[in-house]
mmCIF file of all heavy atoms in Angstrom:
data_model
loop_
_atom_site.group_PDB
_atom_site.id
_atom_site.type_symbol
_atom_site.label_atom_id
_atom_site.label_comp_id
_atom_site.label_asym_id
_atom_site.label_seq_id
_atom_site.Cartn_x
_atom_site.Cartn_y
_atom_site.Cartn_z
ATOM 1 N N GLY A 251 136.705 -72.351 -12.185
ATOM 2 C CA GLY A 251 136.259 -71.198 -12.896
ATOM 3 C C GLY A 251 134.799 -71.112 -13.016
ATOM 4 O O GLY A 251 133.983 -70.154 -12.777
ATOM 5 N N ILE A 252 134.196 -72.276 -13.273
ATOM 6 C CA ILE A 252 132.682 -72.366 -13.447
ATOM 7 C C ILE A 252 131.950 -72.201 -12.090
ATOM 8 O O ILE A 252 130.981 -71.602 -11.947
ATOM 9 C CB ILE A 252 132.246 -73.685 -14.105
ATOM 10 C CG1 ILE A 252 130.838 -73.423 -14.873
ATOM 11 C CG2 ILE A 252 132.252 -74.808 -13.186
ATOM 12 C CD1 ILE A 252 130.908 -72.495 -15.951
ATOM 13 N N LEU A 253 132.648 -72.654 -11.046
ATOM 14 C CA LEU A 253 132.105 -72.402 -9.695
ATOM 15 C C LEU A 253 132.177 -70.940 -9.261
ATOM 16 O O LEU A 253 131.150 -70.439 -8.850
ATOM 17 C CB LEU A 253 132.963 -73.265 -8.671
ATOM 18 C CG LEU A 253 132.645 -73.062 -7.238
ATOM 19 C CD1 LEU A 253 131.215 -73.462 -6.837
ATOM 20 C CD2 LEU A 253 133.561 -73.868 -6.356
ATOM 21 N N SER A 254 133.242 -70.361 -9.493
ATOM 22 C CA SER A 254 133.383 -68.938 -9.314
ATOM 23 C C SER A 254 132.354 -68.158 -10.073
ATOM 24 O O SER A 254 131.728 -67.156 -9.614
ATOM 25 C CB SER A 254 134.813 -68.384 -9.637
ATOM 26 O OG SER A 254 134.921 -66.995 -9.464
ATOM 27 N N ASP A 255 132.147 -68.438 -11.397
ATOM 28 C CA ASP A 255 131.231 -67.850 -12.272
ATOM 29 C C ASP A 255 129.855 -67.920 -11.675
ATOM 30 O O ASP A 255 129.019 -67.036 -11.569
ATOM 31 C CB ASP A 255 131.266 -68.287 -13.642
ATOM 32 C CG ASP A 255 130.335 -67.616 -14.615
ATOM 33 O OD1 ASP A 255 130.175 -66.457 -14.454
ATOM 34 O OD2 ASP A 255 129.879 -68.330 -15.478
ATOM 35 N N ALA A 256 129.509 -69.233 -11.272
ATOM 36 C CA ALA A 256 128.055 -69.420 -10.773
ATOM 37 C C ALA A 256 127.835 -68.750 -9.504
ATOM 38 O O ALA A 256 126.728 -68.135 -9.393
ATOM 39 C CB ALA A 256 127.904 -70.953 -10.573
ATOM 40 N N ALA A 257 128.802 -68.763 -8.564
ATOM 41 C CA ALA A 257 128.586 -68.114 -7.112
ATOM 42 C C ALA A 257 128.798 -66.673 -7.201
ATOM 43 O O ALA A 257 127.867 -65.921 -6.823
ATOM 44 C CB ALA A 257 129.508 -68.785 -6.242
ATOM 45 N N ILE A 258 129.954 -66.246 -7.604
ATOM 46 C CA ILE A 258 130.284 -64.765 -7.420
ATOM 47 C C ILE A 258 129.625 -63.999 -8.532
ATOM 48 O O ILE A 258 129.173 -62.820 -8.406
ATOM 49 C CB ILE A 258 131.792 -64.512 -7.414
ATOM 50 C CG1 ILE A 258 132.407 -65.521 -6.370
ATOM 51 C CG2 ILE A 258 132.089 -63.140 -7.118
ATOM 52 C CD1 ILE A 258 131.925 -65.217 -5.033
ATOM 53 N N GLY A 259 129.762 -64.519 -9.839
ATOM 54 C CA GLY A 259 129.161 -63.792 -10.930
ATOM 55 C C GLY A 259 127.513 -63.739 -11.076
ATOM 56 O O GLY A 259 126.962 -62.777 -10.828
ATOM 57 N N HIS A 260 126.985 -64.915 -11.348
ATOM 58 C CA HIS A 260 125.592 -65.027 -11.537
ATOM 59 C C HIS A 260 124.755 -65.134 -10.113
ATOM 60 O O HIS A 260 123.649 -64.737 -10.259
ATOM 61 C CB HIS A 260 125.322 -66.268 -12.364
ATOM 62 C CG HIS A 260 125.721 -66.141 -13.679
ATOM 63 N ND1 HIS A 260 124.919 -65.480 -14.803
ATOM 64 C CD2 HIS A 260 126.869 -66.543 -14.368
ATOM 65 C CE1 HIS A 260 125.655 -65.550 -15.979
ATOM 66 N NE2 HIS A 260 126.832 -66.030 -15.692
ATOM 67 N N GLY A 261 125.390 -65.582 -9.168
ATOM 68 C CA GLY A 261 124.718 -65.570 -7.921
ATOM 69 C C GLY A 261 124.788 -64.286 -7.055
ATOM 70 O O GLY A 261 123.661 -63.760 -6.829
ATOM 71 N N LEU A 262 125.892 -63.906 -6.682
ATOM 72 C CA LEU A 262 126.108 -62.724 -5.920
ATOM 73 C C LEU A 262 125.946 -61.457 -6.514
ATOM 74 O O LEU A 262 125.347 -60.543 -6.022
ATOM 75 C CB LEU A 262 127.486 -62.838 -5.101
ATOM 76 C CG LEU A 262 127.756 -61.735 -4.093
ATOM 77 C CD1 LEU A 262 126.832 -61.755 -3.017
ATOM 78 C CD2 LEU A 262 129.219 -61.966 -3.639
ATOM 79 N N THR A 263 126.429 -61.304 -7.739
ATOM 80 C CA THR A 263 126.422 -59.985 -8.487
ATOM 81 C C THR A 263 125.288 -59.785 -9.364
ATOM 82 O O THR A 263 124.507 -58.797 -9.264
ATOM 83 C CB THR A 263 127.822 -59.917 -9.294
ATOM 84 O OG1 THR A 263 128.980 -60.148 -8.493
ATOM 85 C CG2 THR A 263 127.923 -58.634 -9.890
ATOM 86 N N TRP A 264 125.043 -60.796 -10.339
ATOM 87 C CA TRP A 264 123.730 -60.556 -11.163
ATOM 88 C C TRP A 264 122.525 -61.137 -10.586
ATOM 89 O O TRP A 264 121.459 -60.751 -10.885
ATOM 90 C CB TRP A 264 124.041 -61.330 -12.458
ATOM 91 C CG TRP A 264 124.895 -60.460 -13.487
ATOM 92 C CD1 TRP A 264 124.940 -59.184 -13.676
ATOM 93 C CD2 TRP A 264 126.164 -60.975 -14.150
ATOM 94 N NE1 TRP A 264 125.865 -58.829 -14.627
ATOM 95 C CE2 TRP A 264 126.700 -59.986 -14.881
ATOM 96 C CE3 TRP A 264 126.698 -62.277 -14.240
ATOM 97 C CZ2 TRP A 264 127.720 -60.105 -15.769
ATOM 98 C CZ3 TRP A 264 127.820 -62.405 -15.067
ATOM 99 C CH2 TRP A 264 128.348 -61.355 -15.723
ATOM 100 N N GLU A 265 122.617 -62.200 -9.854
ATOM 101 C CA GLU A 265 121.415 -62.845 -9.195
ATOM 102 C C GLU A 265 120.527 -63.295 -10.349
ATOM 103 O O GLU A 265 119.293 -62.996 -10.438
ATOM 104 C CB GLU A 265 120.714 -61.932 -8.255
ATOM 105 C CG GLU A 265 120.116 -62.756 -7.084
ATOM 106 C CD GLU A 265 118.734 -63.182 -7.371
ATOM 107 O OE1 GLU A 265 117.953 -62.336 -7.970
ATOM 108 O OE2 GLU A 265 118.226 -64.296 -6.981
ATOM 109 N N ASN A 266 121.061 -64.146 -11.328
ATOM 110 C CA ASN A 266 120.222 -64.666 -12.448
ATOM 111 C C ASN A 266 120.741 -66.097 -12.635
ATOM 112 O O ASN A 266 121.739 -66.479 -12.080
ATOM 113 C CB ASN A 266 120.269 -63.773 -13.681
ATOM 114 C CG ASN A 266 121.563 -63.695 -14.265
ATOM 115 O OD1 ASN A 266 122.567 -64.523 -13.904
ATOM 116 N ND2 ASN A 266 121.804 -62.667 -15.133
ATOM 117 N N ASP A 267 119.905 -66.728 -13.469
ATOM 118 C CA ASP A 267 120.168 -68.160 -13.785
ATOM 119 C C ASP A 267 120.128 -68.421 -15.260
ATOM 120 O O ASP A 267 119.100 -68.487 -15.833
ATOM 121 C CB ASP A 267 119.104 -68.997 -13.144
ATOM 122 C CG ASP A 267 119.309 -70.537 -13.317
ATOM 123 O OD1 ASP A 267 120.348 -70.908 -13.872
ATOM 124 O OD2 ASP A 267 118.389 -71.385 -12.833
ATOM 125 N N PRO A 268 121.385 -68.625 -15.864
ATOM 126 C CA PRO A 268 121.321 -68.853 -17.323
ATOM 127 C C PRO A 268 121.065 -70.295 -17.717
ATOM 128 O O PRO A 268 120.913 -70.483 -18.973
ATOM 129 C CB PRO A 268 122.827 -68.444 -17.658
ATOM 130 C CG PRO A 268 123.556 -68.696 -16.487
ATOM 131 C CD PRO A 268 122.703 -68.487 -15.404
ATOM 132 N N TYR A 269 120.724 -71.150 -16.748
ATOM 133 C CA TYR A 269 120.261 -72.597 -17.023
ATOM 134 C C TYR A 269 121.436 -73.426 -17.313
ATOM 135 O O TYR A 269 122.554 -73.087 -17.522
ATOM 136 C CB TYR A 269 119.218 -72.613 -18.067
ATOM 137 C CG TYR A 269 118.195 -73.722 -17.784
ATOM 138 C CD1 TYR A 269 117.651 -73.813 -16.536
ATOM 139 C CD2 TYR A 269 117.759 -74.463 -18.890
ATOM 140 C CE1 TYR A 269 116.579 -74.868 -16.411
ATOM 141 C CE2 TYR A 269 116.635 -75.432 -18.782
ATOM 142 C CZ TYR A 269 116.154 -75.668 -17.381
ATOM 143 O OH TYR A 269 115.330 -76.637 -17.205
ATOM 144 N N TRP A 270 121.082 -74.797 -17.175
ATOM 145 C CA TRP A 270 122.150 -75.758 -17.209
ATOM 146 C C TRP A 270 122.983 -75.798 -18.438
ATOM 147 O O TRP A 270 124.128 -76.197 -18.391
ATOM 148 C CB TRP A 270 121.546 -77.212 -16.868
ATOM 149 C CG TRP A 270 120.524 -77.739 -17.745
ATOM 150 C CD1 TRP A 270 119.292 -77.676 -17.752
ATOM 151 C CD2 TRP A 270 120.922 -78.569 -18.864
ATOM 152 N NE1 TRP A 270 118.777 -78.287 -18.858
ATOM 153 C CE2 TRP A 270 119.724 -78.884 -19.592
ATOM 154 C CE3 TRP A 270 122.127 -79.091 -19.491
ATOM 155 C CZ2 TRP A 270 119.624 -79.629 -20.687
ATOM 156 C CZ3 TRP A 270 122.070 -79.781 -20.618
ATOM 157 C CH2 TRP A 270 120.745 -80.196 -21.308
ATOM 158 N N THR A 271 122.303 -75.591 -19.529
ATOM 159 C CA THR A 271 123.122 -75.586 -20.904
ATOM 160 C C THR A 271 124.250 -74.678 -20.876
ATOM 161 O O THR A 271 125.316 -74.877 -21.516
ATOM 162 C CB THR A 271 122.110 -75.304 -21.973
ATOM 163 O OG1 THR A 271 121.329 -74.248 -21.805
ATOM 164 C CG2 THR A 271 121.290 -76.491 -22.333
ATOM 165 N N TYR A 272 124.045 -73.480 -20.270
ATOM 166 C CA TYR A 272 125.098 -72.500 -20.124
ATOM 167 C C TYR A 272 126.224 -73.087 -19.425
ATOM 168 O O TYR A 272 127.346 -72.949 -19.859
ATOM 169 C CB TYR A 272 124.607 -71.242 -19.445
ATOM 170 C CG TYR A 272 125.623 -70.195 -19.136
ATOM 171 C CD1 TYR A 272 125.943 -69.235 -20.033
ATOM 172 C CD2 TYR A 272 126.225 -70.186 -17.901
ATOM 173 C CE1 TYR A 272 126.964 -68.227 -19.662
ATOM 174 C CE2 TYR A 272 127.154 -69.327 -17.453
ATOM 175 C CZ TYR A 272 127.524 -68.323 -18.421
ATOM 176 O OH TYR A 272 128.415 -67.396 -18.095
ATOM 177 N N TRP A 273 125.998 -73.789 -18.263
ATOM 178 C CA TRP A 273 127.070 -74.141 -17.432
ATOM 179 C C TRP A 273 127.829 -75.287 -18.176
ATOM 180 O O TRP A 273 129.003 -75.297 -18.107
ATOM 181 C CB TRP A 273 126.513 -74.752 -16.212
ATOM 182 C CG TRP A 273 125.715 -73.818 -15.309
ATOM 183 C CD1 TRP A 273 124.309 -73.837 -15.012
ATOM 184 C CD2 TRP A 273 126.207 -72.425 -14.802
ATOM 185 N NE1 TRP A 273 123.907 -72.766 -14.348
ATOM 186 C CE2 TRP A 273 124.888 -71.816 -14.280
ATOM 187 C CE3 TRP A 273 127.229 -71.733 -14.858
ATOM 188 C CZ2 TRP A 273 125.053 -70.567 -13.667
ATOM 189 C CZ3 TRP A 273 127.286 -70.560 -14.295
ATOM 190 C CH2 TRP A 273 126.222 -69.932 -13.678
ATOM 191 N N VAL A 274 127.116 -76.239 -18.837
ATOM 192 C CA VAL A 274 127.857 -77.349 -19.542
ATOM 193 C C VAL A 274 128.664 -76.720 -20.648
ATOM 194 O O VAL A 274 129.843 -77.076 -20.867
ATOM 195 C CB VAL A 274 126.824 -78.292 -20.093
ATOM 196 C CG1 VAL A 274 127.581 -79.225 -21.050
ATOM 197 C CG2 VAL A 274 126.115 -78.944 -18.902
ATOM 198 N N THR A 275 128.067 -75.810 -21.510
ATOM 199 C CA THR A 275 128.860 -75.289 -22.590
ATOM 200 C C THR A 275 129.977 -74.475 -22.156
ATOM 201 O O THR A 275 131.188 -74.598 -22.659
ATOM 202 C CB THR A 275 127.902 -74.320 -23.504
ATOM 203 O OG1 THR A 275 126.754 -75.088 -23.861
ATOM 204 C CG2 THR A 275 128.651 -73.787 -24.731
ATOM 205 N N LYS A 276 129.847 -73.582 -21.232
ATOM 206 C CA LYS A 276 130.977 -72.790 -20.751
ATOM 207 C C LYS A 276 132.012 -73.642 -20.066
ATOM 208 O O LYS A 276 133.133 -73.350 -20.273
ATOM 209 C CB LYS A 276 130.516 -71.792 -19.682
ATOM 210 C CG LYS A 276 131.532 -70.758 -19.366
ATOM 211 C CD LYS A 276 130.973 -69.666 -18.487
ATOM 212 C CE LYS A 276 132.164 -68.600 -18.253
ATOM 213 N NZ LYS A 276 131.572 -67.446 -17.511
ATOM 214 N N SER A 277 131.674 -74.626 -19.406
ATOM 215 C CA SER A 277 132.699 -75.572 -18.735
ATOM 216 C C SER A 277 133.588 -76.106 -19.852
ATOM 217 O O SER A 277 134.897 -76.251 -19.754
ATOM 218 C CB SER A 277 132.121 -76.648 -17.987
ATOM 219 O OG SER A 277 131.418 -76.132 -16.824
ATOM 220 N N PHE A 278 133.115 -76.665 -20.905
ATOM 221 C CA PHE A 278 133.822 -77.266 -22.030
ATOM 222 C C PHE A 278 134.653 -76.112 -22.799
ATOM 223 O O PHE A 278 135.805 -76.325 -23.194
ATOM 224 C CB PHE A 278 132.872 -77.868 -23.156
ATOM 225 C CG PHE A 278 132.542 -79.227 -22.769
ATOM 226 C CD1 PHE A 278 131.173 -79.520 -22.388
ATOM 227 C CD2 PHE A 278 133.423 -80.268 -22.780
ATOM 228 C CE1 PHE A 278 130.881 -80.846 -22.130
ATOM 229 C CE2 PHE A 278 133.128 -81.578 -22.554
ATOM 230 C CZ PHE A 278 131.719 -81.840 -22.147
ATOM 231 N N LEU A 279 134.078 -74.857 -22.800
ATOM 232 C CA LEU A 279 134.796 -73.692 -23.313
ATOM 233 C C LEU A 279 136.136 -73.470 -22.537
ATOM 234 O O LEU A 279 137.259 -73.170 -23.064
ATOM 235 C CB LEU A 279 133.953 -72.532 -23.470
ATOM 236 C CG LEU A 279 134.666 -71.232 -24.005
ATOM 237 C CD1 LEU A 279 135.141 -71.526 -25.414
ATOM 238 C CD2 LEU A 279 133.670 -70.050 -24.017
ATOM 239 N N ILE A 280 135.860 -73.355 -21.211
ATOM 240 C CA ILE A 280 137.043 -73.134 -20.243
ATOM 241 C C ILE A 280 138.151 -74.239 -20.482
ATOM 242 O O ILE A 280 139.335 -73.887 -20.536
ATOM 243 C CB ILE A 280 136.552 -73.029 -18.834
ATOM 244 C CG1 ILE A 280 135.531 -71.911 -18.750
ATOM 245 C CG2 ILE A 280 137.758 -72.874 -17.980
ATOM 246 C CD1 ILE A 280 134.892 -71.871 -17.397
ATOM 247 N N PHE A 281 137.633 -75.372 -20.479
ATOM 248 C CA PHE A 281 138.606 -76.544 -20.548
ATOM 249 C C PHE A 281 139.439 -76.380 -21.852
ATOM 250 O O PHE A 281 140.583 -76.694 -21.900
ATOM 251 C CB PHE A 281 137.826 -77.930 -20.419
ATOM 252 C CG PHE A 281 138.765 -79.010 -20.131
ATOM 253 C CD1 PHE A 281 138.685 -79.555 -18.939
ATOM 254 C CD2 PHE A 281 139.668 -79.574 -20.977
ATOM 255 C CE1 PHE A 281 139.496 -80.762 -18.566
ATOM 256 C CE2 PHE A 281 140.448 -80.586 -20.808
ATOM 257 C CZ PHE A 281 140.321 -81.213 -19.487
ATOM 258 N N THR A 282 138.720 -76.098 -22.925
ATOM 259 C CA THR A 282 139.336 -76.127 -24.271
ATOM 260 C C THR A 282 140.326 -74.950 -24.231
ATOM 261 O O THR A 282 141.580 -75.118 -24.621
ATOM 262 C CB THR A 282 138.338 -75.917 -25.354
ATOM 263 O OG1 THR A 282 137.447 -76.974 -25.385
ATOM 264 C CG2 THR A 282 138.944 -75.912 -26.758
ATOM 265 N N VAL A 283 139.913 -73.689 -23.972
ATOM 266 C CA VAL A 283 140.752 -72.606 -24.113
ATOM 267 C C VAL A 283 142.020 -72.695 -23.190
ATOM 268 O O VAL A 283 143.226 -72.445 -23.511
ATOM 269 C CB VAL A 283 139.946 -71.302 -23.783
ATOM 270 C CG1 VAL A 283 140.950 -70.093 -23.826
ATOM 271 C CG2 VAL A 283 138.888 -71.160 -24.921
#
């Protein structure tokens, strides 16, 4: 999920970088939920 978000969402569609704290926090959120 975080790979899909990084590549398709933030890379291909938005073309922005929310920075590494976003990826770490969201990975834990996905795992938890």
